[in-house]
């Protein structure tokens, strides 16, 4: 079974600074998807960024980028120019590519933005 | 319309009550999901519907009964719940067969069982 580990329960960053959230996972599969989801106080889970394991290039979405290290099974999220609206719980998640619908989440990292 | 709408937003029920949670999307998605999220924990998958048929049941107790009456609507019927079932219930949808693996989530129903 796949597992996803987020070792940082809480992180904080000054507004406009850069922060990196860590995620490691364990799998025996070679083809899969990795995601970062954000859950603000509104409770809605919002997709931040997505990475396909067969792509070597790291995904980027505006101020958000990932460092995907497949051999190390590491998938960290970098948030640049942090904004107050980035404050949320961030979940790393894994999904097999081969038809299994289950999205396996990590335990989450609560990010606080300091004005 | 890129929303998943869940109603009600909050629900308080007794252990003998019968209630239903509703989820609706009009994006043409044919895969729909129920997740349960306890406080300060990640979401846990409960059920998956694919083309209106139940495809995954994660060993959920029978006091939770899902229903997918059409491609836009997903219900979760609740009966004889326990206080430990109090949680945020999230609905999500995805375009079945698409290479875009994005799940769209609703804002959830916060359920309290007394």
């Amino acid at each position: 079974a796949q597992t996803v580990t987020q070792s940082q329960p809480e992180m904080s960053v000054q507004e406009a600074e850069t922060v990196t959230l860590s995620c490691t996972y364990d799998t025996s599969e070679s083809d899969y998807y990795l995601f970062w989801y954000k859950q603000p106080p509104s409770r809605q889970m919002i997709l931040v960024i997505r990475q396909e394991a067969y792509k070597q290039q790291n995904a980027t979405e505006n101020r958000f980028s990932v460092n995907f290290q497949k051999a190390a099974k590491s998938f960290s999220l970098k948030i640049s120019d942090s904004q107050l609206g980035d404050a949320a719980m961030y979940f790393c998640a894994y999904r097999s590519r081969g038809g299994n619908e289950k999205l396996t989440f990590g335990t989450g990292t609560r990010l606080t933005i300091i004005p | 319309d890129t929303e998943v709408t869940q109603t009600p937003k909050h629900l308080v029920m007794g252990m003998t009550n019968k209630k239903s949670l509703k989820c609706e999307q009009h994006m043409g998605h044919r895969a729909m999901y129920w997740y349960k999220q306890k406080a300060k924990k990640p979401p846990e998958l409960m059920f998956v519907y694919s083309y209106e048929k139940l495809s995954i049941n994660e060993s959920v107790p029978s006091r939770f009964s899902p229903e997918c009456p059409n491609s836009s609507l997903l219900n979760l019927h609740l009966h004889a719940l326990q206080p430990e079932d109090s949680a945020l219930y999230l609905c999500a949808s995805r375009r079945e067969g698409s290479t875009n693996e994005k799940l769209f989530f609703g804002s959830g129903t916060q359920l309290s069982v007394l």
Side-chain angles (χ1 to χ4, degrees), chain A residues 36 49 51 58-60 64-68 75-78:
Chain A
W36 279 97
I49 200 164
Q51 176 79 42
N58 289 325
T60 62
F64 299 89
S65 61
V66 297
N67 183 1
F68 173 48
F75 183 61
S76 61
L77 175 69
K78 185 171 84 170

Side-chain angles (χ1 to χ4, degrees), chain B residues 95-111:
Chain B
R95 190 180 306 279
E96 182 74 45
S98 169
T99 56
N100 182 350
E101 292 295 324
K102 179 178 179 177
L103 257 65
F104 290 78
F105 281 86
S107 294
T109 295
Q110 186 66 53
L111 174 67

Side-chain angles (χ1 to χ4, degrees), chain A residues 33 35 37 39 42-47 50 52 89 91 95 97 100-103 105-108 110, chain B residues 9-10 33 35 37 41-43 45 48 56 58 88 90 94 96 99 101-103 105-108 110:
Chain A
Y33 296 97
F35 307 86
Y37 276 89
Q39 189 175 37
S42 67
R43 308 175 308 184
Q44 185 173 22
M45 296 284 283
I46 301 166
L47 179 67
R50 162 181 171 262
E52 293 165 274
M89 181 72 88
F91 291 100
R95 185 191 158 185
R97 190 181 176 90
N100 186 336
E101 291 284 351
K102 188 169 184 176
L103 195 61
F105 288 93
T107 50
R110 180 165 298 284
Chain B
K9 293 194 183 303
H10 300 273
Y33 307 70
Y35 281 85
Q37 186 177 22
K41 297 289 187 182
L45 182 65
V48 180
I56 295 179
E58 288 284 303
L88 179 68
L90 292 165
R94 185 177 68 86
E96 182 74 45
T99 56
E101 292 295 324
K102 179 178 179 177
L103 257 65
F105 281 86
S107 294
Q110 186 66 53

Side-chain angles (χ1 to χ4, degrees), chain B residues 31-85:
Chain B
M32 296 187 76
Y33 307 70
W34 280 115
Y35 281 85
K36 173 183 178 180
Q37 186 177 22
K38 301 283 276 184
K40 299 183 179 180
K41 297 289 187 182
E44 297 176 354
L45 182 65
M46 299 176 72
F47 303 104
V48 180
Y49 272 83
S50 178
Y51 291 94
E52 295 94 70
K53 294 191 186 311
L54 183 65
S55 61
I56 295 179
N57 177 342
E58 288 284 303
S59 302
V60 179
S62 59
R63 58 185 183 269
F64 295 91
S65 176
E67 178 197 21
C68 190
N70 60 59
S71 60
S72 299
L73 187 58
L74 184 67
N75 297 319
L76 186 62
H77 303 297
L78 314 173
H79 173 55
L81 294 194
Q82 303 297 310
E84 60 264 29
D85 297 321

